[in-house]
Amino acid sequence: MIVYFFLGLKPVKAEIKINGQDSKKISNMLTGVFFEDINYAADGGLYGELIQNRDFEYSLHDKKGRDEKWNASMAWSGDFKIEKENPIHVNNPNYAVIKNGNITNLGFDGITLKANEKYDFSVFAKGTKAIVRLKTASGETLAEAVFTPSNSWKKFNLVLKPYKTVNDAHLEISTNGETAVDMVSLFPQQTFKNRKNGLRLDLAEAIAAMHPKFVRFPGGCVAHGDGLHNIYKWKNTIGPLESRIGSRNIWGYHQSMGLGYFEYFQFCEDLGAEAVPVLAAGVPCQNSSDGGSGQQFGIPMEDMDEYVQDVLDLIEYANGSVNTVWGKKRAEAGHPKPFNLEYVGIGNEDLISDVFEERYRMIVKAVQQKYPEIIIIGTVGPFFEGTDYREGWRIADDLKLPLVDEHYYQSPGWFINNHDFYDSYDRSKSKVYLGEYASWGNKFYNALAEALYLTGVERNGDVVSMASYAPLLAREKHTQWNPDLIYFNGNEVKPTVNYFVQKLYGQNPGDIYIESSIKASDNAEANKRIGISVVKESISGDLIVKLVNVLPVSFIPSIEIADLTTTENASYTVLAGNPEKTDARPITQNITVKEAFSKELPPYSFTVIRIKTKK
């Protein structure tokens, strides 16, 4: 609830003191991103593939049999039938046979094409000559190419270059004979870092602009899955695309696994971010529709050795030499050098039951024994309090885990009133990864509440090592969870105002926290709704002052610095606007330090002052 009782009052004056000698080291990777395949974040989202159900492997099971149209023909129309005899790979049993006609794919709500850009089309085919065309909704041909299969499966690679920009195109394959097709793919050549089988450029660039220090993947609930048979299996997501095993998504659709573990690691490397893969703790989600509903079921203990080995194999895949079994597979995928994985998360928001604990301890101890250098991130349940939280911390203490993963989604008022949440944490215990948090809304008021809370997170950067807003991405018309950080459709990326708060924190990090105090006259309520964080970035030597005003009146700071010498000029960024709207955007200008330290801060605003310091 927004408090308006300040209306009609004069601006609040605030005295701010910054003590350069009173400082402490904090985490240098505090802000990152959490990617989960929810809201069509992967297929139809970050993954650059433009064809939906390219391998004809959608099935009724993806939606638990609730949608009879959700089958191997989903997203396709035309003159074809699905067959299984002699497929291109045993893991990809379905393919389409076109006979004297055509087959059409609309992609994800239509295919977005840009004029004169090149698109890589590929297909496995056998049979007679066929033509592939990109067409508008009205049937106009934008580009076409011919391929001539033989009697056995062969992969064809062609380039299509549409002459017009459209957002509702479709792909058509036609033949006057009989042609079988599978793995029908259309990729823009312009992907993030121009990677083959790469990522959608504008979405990846929006993530990169946040300067994330880490990426947690492939999800939260997606990782531990909907029932025992839906636990995410990383080995199903690597190797040739036609050999990967797709899976039902816990959020009610299909995961092609085209965006797999190799691509996740490569994305982290391209971002310059640490990879943080999260693996199930031998149990699925306690709320699984398959044998769940508040109960906790686990992988049978007689199968746990195999599961533990999968976890160890992942570390070998990431870090092993080319002479190891799994390091060789990484090299075969095009990356002979290790990915230098440092973190592994075990568990996600789990019910801390005996079933969980037995398997969790087994996995953690195996990793600790074989890979003592790996930083294990444990789990303490889905809330910031309660039985699971307390039990999760008890186990973390006993196992001496370096990090635990805390999650909470709360009202903006909770974040405003609790930005001292980590002030009293025991510094001798496990560090905290705030893996999922959000204030239940995309209005500017929500974003400001999060900005204020993050001043407390930075202040406690000696105990909070990492933090990531969640969820990250959501495709319009296919959203299972709100709010999200970045919304998008086929041709447009729509960052929220919450995104700009995250971006300002990501672009203005520090590894040294400098103690400061802020006092807004004698108004206790005002002091709750203004916040400050002062950090220094060792590499650049920059001093960064973050000021948050969640008051309906402006405040005038009076900033004094002791034992720090600054240059004369400052970068001054303000994010301000109507708390009930979503259109606030940051504005940056260069002004003098003197002006920056006395400039009136607007009502409902987040300000970042960045200054060079002198030695």
Side-chain angles (χ1 to χ4, degrees), residues 219-235:
C221 292
V222 162
H224 60 189
D226 185 13
L228 285 176
H229 300 292
N230 194 237
I231 291 176
Y232 195 96
K233 298 177 177 63
W234 74 267
K235 289 179 179 177

Side-chain angles (χ1 to χ4, degrees), residues 273-284:
E274 295 286 349
V276 184
V278 176
L279 301 159
V283 295

